[in-house]
Structure formats: structure tokens, C-alpha cells
């Protein structure tokens, strides 16, 4: 009745419309943030699953290198004692499983910084072929620690990449960790 006498109440209409729009915007923003957070968690979970395969392959390779270095040392001791020429050691195993695990993780990773870290890991693994078994064993341990620190957020992607591909850092790490046995 009041509206009929005084006409349309524009102030009430506009305030109702603005309140409705503000409520809708807040609901949309909340839903968007929840969706984005769930999407980020799913991405992180997929990358973590792929990296679990990389860690297993790196560890398997490290175990093989550890056994290889122990076998090398035993052969050297035996050769020195009996002064015989022993048959060559068996060839190193293929890097197929390790390269495959890294490739899978790289394909799953969509963020450029994640892909760069995984590419650096691939390059580092490929370059390890030029190292001795002892150096490879230590280098693999260093790669595992660098990858772990990066994934836990203790190290930036840029620092992880630098640690993986910089041969001077790898060599310095090797020099620090390789015990000097006095040439024996």
C-alpha cells in the first residue's frame, strides 16, 4: 500500500540487488578457491606419485653402484694378492628404468619449474655415465638428496637445478665425500 502511494522503492530494490550480487560473488570466490586448492592438491599428488617411481629407480641404481664398487674393490684386492688378470666386470645395467621414471614424472608435471628440475635430473643422470662407479654412487646419493630437498620445499627449483647440472658442485661433493685411502 505504501508503494502504491509513493511509487517504486528504488533504494530497497538496489540494496537488495547489490546484496544478492555481493553474496553471489562471495560464494563464487569461495567455490573457486576450494576448486583451485583441490586441483593443486591433485596435481601435487600425481607428481609425488611419479616422483616416488623416480626415487625408487634412483635408489635401485644407487644400490647397484654400491654393489659394483664393493665388487670392484674386492677384485682389486684379489688381483693384487694373486697378481692375475681377472675377467672384466660385467657391464653396468641399463638406465632404462630410471630414464623411464624421470620421463613419466616430466610428462605428468605441468608447471614449467617442475619440468625444468626433472629435465636437469635427466641431464645429470645421462652425464653420470662418464663417472666411475664410486663417483656415480656418490652422485646418485647427491641427486636423491637434492630432489628430496626440492620436493619438500627446502630448496628452490633454481638451486636444485644448479646442484644437479653443475659439474663443479658435483666434483666438490665427490672430493668431500670420497675417503682418501692413501692409494691402497
Amino acid at each position: 500500500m505504501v508503494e502504491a502511494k509513493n511509487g517504486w522503492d528504488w533504494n530497497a530494490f538496489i540494496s537488495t540487488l547489490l546484496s544478492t550480487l555481493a553474496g553471489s560473488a562471495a560464494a563464487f570466490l569461495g567455490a573457486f578457491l576450494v576448486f583451485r586448492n583441490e586441483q593443486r592438491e591433485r596435481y601435487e599428488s600425481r607428481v609425488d606419485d611419479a616422483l616416488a617411481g623416480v626415487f625408487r629407480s634412483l635408489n635401485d641404481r644407487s644400490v647397484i653402484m654400491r654393489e659394483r664398487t664393493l665388487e670392484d674393490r674386492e677384485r682389486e684386492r684379489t688381483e693384487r694378492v694373486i697378481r692375475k688378470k681377472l675377467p672384466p666386470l660385467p657391464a653396468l645395467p641399463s638406465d632404462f628404468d630410471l630414464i623411464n621414471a624421470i620421463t613419466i614424472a616430466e610428462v605428468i608435471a605441468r608447471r614449467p619449474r617442475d619440468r625444468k628440475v626433472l629435465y636437469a635430473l635427466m641431464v645429470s643422470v645421462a652425464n653420470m655415465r662418464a663417472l666411475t662407479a664410486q663417483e656415480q654412487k656418490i652422485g646418485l646419493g647427491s641427486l636423491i638428496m637434492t630432489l628430496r630437498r626440492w620436493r619438500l620445499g627446502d630448496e628452490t627449483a633454481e638451486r636444485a637445478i644448479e646442484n644437479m647440472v653443475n659439474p663443479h658442485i658435483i666434483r666438490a661433493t665427490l672430493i668431500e665425500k670420497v675417503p682418501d685411502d692413501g692409494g691402497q
Side-chain angles (χ1 to χ4, degrees), residues 47 50-51 54 100-110 115 118:
V47 172
L51 284 174
V54 172
N100 192 37
I102 297 169
T103 301
I104 289 169
E106 193 175 6
V107 168
I108 289 173
R110 290 180 302 207
R115 284 186 172 175
L118 293 167

Side-chain angles (χ1 to χ4, degrees), residues 57-58 60-62 64-65 91-103 121-130 136 140:
S57 294
L58 281 169
D60 291 348
R61 181 74 177 169
S62 182
I64 290 168
M65 296 288 49
L92 290 173
S94 166
D95 289 334
F96 177 76
D97 289 340
L98 177 55
I99 298 296
N100 192 37
I102 297 169
T103 301
L121 178 63
M122 181 81 75
V123 168
S124 187
V125 166
N127 288 337
M128 278 196 178
R129 283 295 203 182
Q136 285 186 46
L140 286 165

